[in-house]
Amino acid sequence: MRGKGSSSSKISTLIVDDDPLTRRIHKVLLTKVGLETQAVENGKEAVDLYRSGASFDLILMDLEMPIMDGPKATKELRAMGVQSMIVGVTARDLEVEKQMFMASGLDDCYVKPLTTDTVTALVEKLNKDN
Amino acid sequence: MESTLHQQISAMKQSLLDEGFVDGHFVELELLEDGDNLHFTEEIITLFFTDSARLIVDVEKELNNDPIDYSKVDKILHQFKGSSSSVGANRVRLQGTKLRESCKDGDVEGWKAALKQLKKEHATLKEKLDTYFQLVKQLGSEKKTMWHPNEGQVDMLAKNQLMKMAITKDEKVEFGHKDMVKKGTGKEPGKVVTEEEAVKVVSDEESVQMVAK
Protein backbone atom coordinates (compact mmCIF):
# COMPACT_ATOMS: atom_id res chain seq x y z
CA MET A 1 0.00 0.00 0.00
CA ARG A 2 1.56 3.27 -1.09
CA GLY A 3 1.61 6.37 1.10
CA LYS A 4 -0.66 9.28 0.32
CA GLY A 5 2.45 11.34 -0.47
CA SER A 6 2.80 9.33 -3.67
CA SER A 7 1.11 10.44 -6.85
CA SER A 8 1.77 7.14 -8.57
CA SER A 9 2.68 3.58 -7.74
CA LYS A 10 6.18 4.78 -6.84
CA ILE A 11 7.45 4.47 -3.30
CA SER A 12 7.13 7.85 -1.57
CA THR A 13 9.89 9.10 0.70
CA LEU A 14 10.16 11.96 3.16
CA ILE A 15 13.66 13.29 3.81
CA VAL A 16 13.88 14.97 7.21
CA ASP A 17 17.22 16.76 7.59
CA ASP A 18 18.39 20.26 8.52
CA ASP A 19 21.47 19.99 6.30
CA PRO A 20 20.74 21.22 2.74
CA LEU A 21 23.70 19.19 1.41
CA THR A 22 22.31 15.95 2.81
CA ARG A 23 18.81 16.76 1.59
CA ARG A 24 20.13 17.36 -1.93
CA ILE A 25 22.26 14.22 -2.02
CA HIS A 26 19.53 11.99 -0.67
CA LYS A 27 16.93 13.53 -2.97
CA VAL A 28 19.01 12.74 -6.05
CA LEU A 29 19.96 9.29 -4.75
CA LEU A 30 16.37 8.31 -4.00
CA THR A 31 15.06 9.73 -7.28
CA LYS A 32 17.68 7.79 -9.16
CA VAL A 33 16.44 4.49 -7.74
CA GLY A 34 12.92 5.45 -8.71
CA LEU A 35 11.44 6.85 -5.51
CA GLU A 36 9.30 9.95 -5.11
CA THR A 37 10.78 12.39 -2.65
CA GLN A 38 9.81 15.32 -0.52
CA ALA A 39 12.07 17.04 1.97
CA VAL A 40 11.62 19.03 5.18
CA GLU A 41 14.12 20.69 7.47
CA ASN A 42 13.22 19.40 10.91
CA GLY A 43 11.14 16.92 12.85
CA LYS A 44 8.28 19.33 13.51
CA GLU A 45 7.72 19.87 9.79
CA ALA A 46 7.57 16.11 9.32
CA VAL A 47 5.01 15.72 12.11
CA ASP A 48 2.97 18.64 10.75
CA LEU A 49 2.90 17.02 7.31
CA TYR A 50 1.44 13.85 8.75
CA ARG A 51 -1.03 15.84 10.82
CA SER A 52 -2.20 17.53 7.61
CA GLY A 53 -2.98 14.12 6.14
CA ALA A 54 0.13 13.30 4.17
CA SER A 55 1.87 9.99 4.57
CA PHE A 56 4.91 8.35 3.06
CA ASP A 57 6.17 4.82 2.60
CA LEU A 58 9.62 5.70 3.90
CA ILE A 59 10.95 8.45 6.16
CA LEU A 60 14.66 9.22 6.37
CA MET A 61 15.05 10.89 9.74
CA ASP A 62 18.14 12.81 10.77
CA LEU A 63 19.14 12.64 14.43
CA GLU A 64 20.12 16.19 15.29
CA MET A 65 17.88 18.96 14.04
CA PRO A 66 16.73 22.29 15.44
CA ILE A 67 13.14 22.83 16.66
CA MET A 68 12.41 19.08 16.87
CA ASP A 69 15.09 16.42 16.65
CA GLY A 70 14.87 12.96 15.14
CA PRO A 71 14.10 10.93 18.28
CA LYS A 72 11.33 13.32 19.38
CA ALA A 73 9.78 13.43 15.90
CA THR A 74 9.92 9.65 15.62
CA LYS A 75 8.23 9.19 19.00
CA GLU A 76 5.49 11.63 18.03
CA LEU A 77 4.88 9.96 14.69
CA ARG A 78 4.65 6.53 16.32
CA ALA A 79 2.33 7.92 19.00
CA MET A 80 0.12 9.21 16.16
CA GLY A 81 -0.07 5.66 14.85
CA VAL A 82 2.25 6.20 11.89
CA GLN A 83 3.44 2.85 10.60
CA SER A 84 5.65 4.10 7.77
CA MET A 85 9.16 2.72 7.70
CA ILE A 86 11.28 5.25 9.57
CA VAL A 87 15.01 4.96 9.05
CA GLY A 88 17.41 7.04 11.11
CA VAL A 89 20.31 8.68 9.29
CA THR A 90 23.04 10.21 11.39
CA ALA A 91 26.63 11.34 11.31
CA ARG A 92 27.05 9.85 14.79
CA ASP A 93 28.58 6.40 14.66
CA LEU A 94 28.73 5.56 18.35
CA GLU A 95 26.69 2.42 19.02
CA VAL A 96 25.10 3.84 22.18
CA GLU A 97 23.79 6.87 20.30
CA LYS A 98 22.39 4.71 17.52
CA GLN A 99 20.70 2.48 20.12
CA MET A 100 19.14 5.55 21.72
CA PHE A 101 17.84 6.70 18.37
CA MET A 102 16.52 3.21 17.55
CA ALA A 103 14.67 3.14 20.88
CA SER A 104 12.55 6.09 19.76
CA GLY A 105 10.78 3.83 17.25
CA LEU A 106 13.00 3.53 14.20
CA ASP A 107 12.96 0.52 11.93
CA ASP A 108 16.66 0.89 11.28
CA CYS A 109 19.52 3.36 11.54
CA TYR A 110 22.41 4.16 9.22
CA VAL A 111 25.43 6.40 9.27
CA LYS A 112 25.36 9.24 6.74
CA PRO A 113 25.45 9.34 3.87
CA LEU A 114 23.23 6.64 2.51
CA THR A 115 24.62 4.70 -0.41
CA THR A 116 22.90 3.29 -3.46
CA ASP A 117 23.25 -0.21 -2.01
CA THR A 118 21.57 0.78 1.25
CA VAL A 119 18.68 2.47 -0.52
CA THR A 120 18.24 -0.50 -2.86
CA ALA A 121 18.08 -2.82 0.16
CA LEU A 122 15.48 -0.55 1.81
CA VAL A 123 13.36 -0.57 -1.35
CA GLU A 124 13.54 -4.37 -1.49
CA LYS A 125 12.46 -4.57 2.13
CA LEU A 126 9.57 -2.17 1.52
CA ASN A 127 8.42 -4.12 -1.52
CA LYS A 128 8.64 -7.34 0.45
CA ASP A 129 6.67 -5.91 3.38
CA ASN A 130 3.97 -4.61 1.03
CA MET B 1 42.66 14.52 -27.65
CA GLU B 2 39.48 13.50 -25.83
CA SER B 3 41.01 10.17 -24.85
CA THR B 4 44.01 11.97 -23.34
CA LEU B 5 41.76 14.27 -21.38
CA HIS B 6 39.75 11.32 -20.15
CA GLN B 7 42.93 9.60 -19.06
CA GLN B 8 44.03 12.75 -17.29
CA ILE B 9 40.73 12.98 -15.43
CA SER B 10 40.78 9.31 -14.61
CA ALA B 11 44.35 9.51 -13.34
CA MET B 12 43.60 12.56 -11.26
CA LYS B 13 40.60 10.93 -9.64
CA GLN B 14 42.61 7.81 -8.88
CA SER B 15 45.32 9.95 -7.34
CA LEU B 16 42.76 11.77 -5.17
CA LEU B 17 41.50 8.40 -3.97
CA ASP B 18 44.96 6.85 -3.48
CA GLU B 19 46.21 9.83 -1.49
CA GLY B 20 43.09 9.80 0.66
CA PHE B 21 41.85 13.24 -0.32
CA VAL B 22 38.51 11.72 -1.25
CA ASP B 23 36.90 8.36 -0.59
CA GLY B 24 34.17 6.18 -2.04
CA HIS B 25 31.43 8.68 -1.20
CA PHE B 26 32.89 11.06 -3.78
CA VAL B 27 32.72 8.30 -6.36
CA GLU B 28 29.11 7.61 -5.33
CA LEU B 29 28.27 11.26 -6.00
CA GLU B 30 29.62 10.99 -9.53
CA LEU B 31 27.59 7.85 -10.09
CA LEU B 32 24.46 9.87 -9.35
CA GLU B 33 25.11 12.16 -12.32
CA ASP B 34 22.85 11.72 -15.28
CA GLY B 35 20.89 13.78 -17.77
CA ASP B 36 18.76 15.35 -15.03
CA ASN B 37 21.75 16.09 -12.81
CA LEU B 38 24.62 16.74 -15.18
CA HIS B 39 26.96 18.65 -12.90
CA PHE B 40 25.64 17.24 -9.66
CA THR B 41 29.03 16.45 -8.13
CA GLU B 42 30.39 19.90 -8.77
CA GLU B 43 27.20 21.44 -7.43
CA ILE B 44 27.42 19.42 -4.21
CA ILE B 45 31.15 20.05 -3.78
CA THR B 46 30.61 23.80 -4.28
CA LEU B 47 27.88 23.71 -1.65
CA PHE B 48 30.20 21.78 0.66
CA PHE B 49 33.07 24.26 0.37
CA THR B 50 30.78 27.22 1.01
CA ASP B 51 29.27 25.52 4.02
CA SER B 52 32.47 24.08 5.47
CA ALA B 53 34.37 27.36 5.09
CA ARG B 54 31.68 29.01 7.18
CA LEU B 55 31.89 26.26 9.79
CA ILE B 56 35.68 26.63 10.05
CA VAL B 57 35.25 30.38 10.60
CA ASP B 58 32.59 29.68 13.24
CA VAL B 59 34.71 27.15 15.08
CA GLU B 60 37.74 29.43 15.09
CA LYS B 61 35.58 32.26 16.43
CA GLU B 62 34.34 30.03 19.26
CA LEU B 63 37.84 28.82 20.07
CA ASN B 64 39.03 32.40 20.35
CA ASN B 65 36.38 33.17 22.95
CA ASP B 66 37.24 33.27 26.62
CA PRO B 67 35.96 31.07 28.11
CA ILE B 68 35.51 28.59 25.27
CA ASP B 69 32.09 26.98 24.98
CA TYR B 70 33.30 23.52 23.98
CA SER B 71 29.78 22.18 23.58
CA LYS B 72 29.15 24.77 20.89
CA VAL B 73 32.47 23.87 19.25
CA ASP B 74 31.51 20.20 19.34
CA LYS B 75 28.18 20.91 17.70
CA ILE B 76 29.84 22.81 14.85
CA LEU B 77 32.42 20.06 14.35
CA HIS B 78 29.71 17.41 14.38
CA GLN B 79 28.02 19.27 11.53
CA PHE B 80 31.36 19.54 9.79
CA LYS B 81 31.90 15.81 10.11
CA GLY B 82 28.50 15.09 8.59
CA SER B 83 28.96 17.25 5.53
CA SER B 84 32.58 16.24 4.85
CA SER B 85 31.58 12.60 5.16
CA SER B 86 28.64 13.09 2.78
CA VAL B 87 30.87 14.32 -0.03
CA GLY B 88 33.75 11.95 0.62
CA ALA B 89 36.17 14.67 1.74
CA ASN B 90 38.21 12.09 3.62
CA ARG B 91 41.31 13.91 4.83
CA VAL B 92 39.29 16.99 5.73
CA ARG B 93 36.89 14.82 7.73
CA LEU B 94 39.72 13.05 9.55
CA GLN B 95 41.39 16.33 10.42
CA GLY B 96 38.08 17.68 11.68
CA THR B 97 37.83 14.64 13.94
CA LYS B 98 41.35 15.29 15.30
CA LEU B 99 40.35 18.87 16.05
CA ARG B 100 37.20 17.68 17.78
CA GLU B 101 39.15 15.23 19.94
CA SER B 102 41.68 17.88 20.96
CA CYS B 103 38.83 20.17 21.94
CA LYS B 104 37.15 17.41 23.96
CA ASP B 105 40.45 16.84 25.79
CA GLY B 106 40.81 20.57 26.43
CA ASP B 107 44.20 20.33 24.72
CA VAL B 108 44.79 23.95 23.68
CA GLU B 109 48.07 23.39 21.86
CA GLY B 110 46.53 20.32 20.25
CA TRP B 111 43.50 22.12 18.87
CA LYS B 112 45.56 25.05 17.67
CA ALA B 113 47.71 22.71 15.61
CA ALA B 114 44.71 20.69 14.45
CA LEU B 115 42.81 23.79 13.36
CA LYS B 116 45.81 25.01 11.38
CA GLN B 117 46.09 21.64 9.66
CA LEU B 118 42.36 21.54 8.99
CA LYS B 119 42.49 24.85 7.15
CA LYS B 120 45.43 23.56 5.13
CA GLU B 121 43.67 20.30 4.19
CA HIS B 122 40.52 22.22 3.31
CA ALA B 123 42.40 24.63 1.02
CA THR B 124 44.39 21.82 -0.61
CA LEU B 125 41.30 19.79 -1.36
CA LYS B 126 39.53 22.82 -2.80
CA GLU B 127 42.47 23.54 -5.08
CA LYS B 128 42.66 19.95 -6.29
CA LEU B 129 38.93 19.65 -6.91
CA ASP B 130 38.81 23.03 -8.68
CA THR B 131 41.41 21.65 -11.10
CA TYR B 132 39.55 18.37 -11.41
CA PHE B 133 36.24 20.02 -12.29
CA GLN B 134 37.95 22.35 -14.75
CA LEU B 135 39.18 19.28 -16.61
CA VAL B 136 35.73 17.71 -16.46
CA LYS B 137 34.17 20.88 -17.86
CA GLN B 138 36.79 20.96 -20.59
CA LEU B 139 35.70 17.56 -21.66
CA GLY B 140 32.28 19.05 -22.19
CA SER B 141 29.08 17.06 -22.22
CA GLU B 142 30.52 13.96 -23.88
CA LYS B 143 28.67 11.76 -21.39
CA LYS B 144 27.37 9.53 -24.16
CA THR B 145 30.81 8.55 -25.28
CA MET B 146 32.33 5.28 -24.23
CA TRP B 147 35.81 3.93 -24.58
CA HIS B 148 37.24 0.50 -24.27
CA PRO B 149 37.68 0.12 -20.51
CA ASN B 150 41.35 -0.78 -20.84
CA GLU B 151 42.11 2.46 -22.59
CA GLY B 152 40.37 5.11 -20.64
CA GLN B 153 37.40 6.33 -18.74
CA VAL B 154 34.06 4.84 -19.58
CA ASP B 155 30.77 6.63 -19.36
CA MET B 156 29.62 5.80 -15.85
CA LEU B 157 26.10 4.72 -16.65
CA ALA B 158 27.01 2.47 -19.58
CA LYS B 159 29.93 1.00 -17.67
CA ASN B 160 27.81 0.12 -14.67
CA GLN B 161 25.27 -1.58 -16.87
CA LEU B 162 27.93 -3.54 -18.70
CA MET B 163 29.74 -4.47 -15.52
CA LYS B 164 26.50 -5.71 -14.02
CA MET B 165 25.87 -7.98 -16.98
CA ALA B 166 29.43 -9.24 -17.18
CA ILE B 167 29.57 -10.05 -13.49
CA THR B 168 26.21 -11.82 -13.71
CA LYS B 169 27.65 -14.07 -16.37
CA ASP B 170 30.78 -14.71 -14.32
CA GLU B 171 32.90 -13.14 -17.00
CA LYS B 172 35.82 -10.90 -16.29
CA VAL B 173 34.78 -7.35 -16.88
CA GLU B 174 37.56 -6.67 -19.39
CA PHE B 175 36.69 -9.69 -21.47
CA GLY B 176 33.01 -8.96 -21.25
CA HIS B 177 33.42 -5.37 -22.29
CA LYS B 178 35.62 -6.12 -25.26
CA ASP B 179 33.47 -8.72 -26.89
CA MET B 180 30.16 -7.19 -25.97
CA VAL B 181 31.23 -3.92 -27.54
CA LYS B 182 32.34 -5.64 -30.72
CA LYS B 183 29.42 -8.02 -31.01
CA GLY B 184 26.74 -5.54 -30.18
CA THR B 185 27.96 -2.59 -32.17
CA GLY B 186 30.19 -4.04 -34.86
CA LYS B 187 32.88 -1.60 -33.82
CA GLU B 188 36.36 -2.54 -32.74
CA PRO B 189 37.30 -1.88 -29.13
CA GLY B 190 38.73 1.56 -28.71
CA LYS B 191 36.26 3.10 -31.12
CA VAL B 192 33.73 5.53 -29.82
CA VAL B 193 30.27 4.15 -29.22
CA THR B 194 27.24 6.04 -28.01
CA GLU B 195 25.42 5.33 -24.78
CA GLU B 196 22.47 4.09 -26.80
CA GLU B 197 24.68 1.52 -28.50
CA ALA B 198 26.11 0.43 -25.17
CA VAL B 199 22.63 0.04 -23.68
CA LYS B 200 21.59 -1.97 -26.74
CA VAL B 201 24.48 -4.33 -26.16
CA VAL B 202 23.52 -4.83 -22.54
CA SER B 203 19.91 -5.54 -23.38
CA ASP B 204 20.85 -7.95 -26.16
CA GLU B 205 20.87 -11.23 -24.26
CA GLU B 206 22.17 -13.15 -27.28
CA SER B 207 25.34 -11.08 -27.31
CA VAL B 208 25.98 -11.73 -23.66
CA GLN B 209 25.40 -15.45 -24.03
CA MET B 210 27.85 -15.66 -26.89
CA VAL B 211 30.42 -13.90 -24.75
CA ALA B 212 29.81 -16.30 -21.87
CA LYS B 213 30.53 -19.30 -24.12
Side-chain angles (χ1 to χ4, degrees), chain B residues 66-128:
Chain B
D66 186 16
I68 298 171
D69 184 347
Y70 282 111
S71 67
K72 213 167 174 183
V73 170
D74 193 68
K75 199 164 179 164
I76 297 169
L77 290 174
H78 167 71
Q79 208 178 328
F80 187 88
K81 178 190 169 186
S83 58
S84 55
S85 179
S86 291
V87 303
N90 185 52
R91 277 164 66 151
V92 163
R93 176 183 58 81
L94 289 172
Q95 194 55 41
T97 301
K98 281 186 185 164
L99 173 58
R100 199 177 179 189
E101 282 164 5
S102 296
C103 290
K104 274 184 180 166
D105 295 339
D107 176 4
V108 175
E109 288 310 311
W111 67 246
K112 279 182 181 172
L115 178 60
K116 190 178 175 184
Q117 188 60 25
L118 175 61
K119 286 178 181 178
K120 191 178 167 193
E121 290 287 355
H122 190 261
T124 303
L125 179 63
K126 186 170 190 310
E127 194 182 315
K128 286 184 181 288

Side-chain angles (χ1 to χ4, degrees), chain A residues 78-97:
Chain A
R78 292 302 190 207
M80 284 163 62
V82 169
Q83 295 185 347
S84 310
M85 181 185 278
I86 307 178
V87 168
V89 188
T90 173
R92 294 206 179 272
D93 52 12
L94 286 178
E95 200 52 40
V96 61
E97 284 167 333

Side-chain angles (χ1 to χ4, degrees), chain A residues 24 28 32 91-92 113 116, chain B residues 28 31 34 37 43 81 100:
Chain A
R24 179 80 178 113
V28 169
K32 198 159 177 76
R92 294 206 179 272
T116 311
Chain B
E28 282 263 344
L31 290 177
D34 58 21
N37 297 287
E43 174 203 334
K81 178 190 169 186
R100 199 177 179 189

Side-chain angles (χ1 to χ4, degrees), chain A residues 69-112:
Chain A
D69 64 19
K72 189 149 192 251
T74 304
K75 280 180 193 162
E76 281 221 23
L77 288 169
R78 292 302 190 207
M80 284 163 62
V82 169
Q83 295 185 347
S84 310
M85 181 185 278
I86 307 178
V87 168
V89 188
T90 173
R92 294 206 179 272
D93 52 12
L94 286 178
E95 200 52 40
V96 61
E97 284 167 333
K98 282 169 77 175
Q99 292 291 348
M100 180 270 300
F101 197 4
M102 286 291 294
S104 66
L106 297 179
D107 291 286
D108 212 333
C109 190
Y110 295 95
V111 174
K112 280 185 195 183

Side-chain angles (χ1 to χ4, degrees), chain B residues 148 151 178 181-183 185-193:
Chain B
H148 188 287
E151 286 184 8
K178 184 176 176 179
V181 168
K182 186 176 178 182
K183 170 67 184 171
T185 67
K187 290 184 179 177
E188 289 297 325
K191 296 296 179 191
V192 169
V193 299

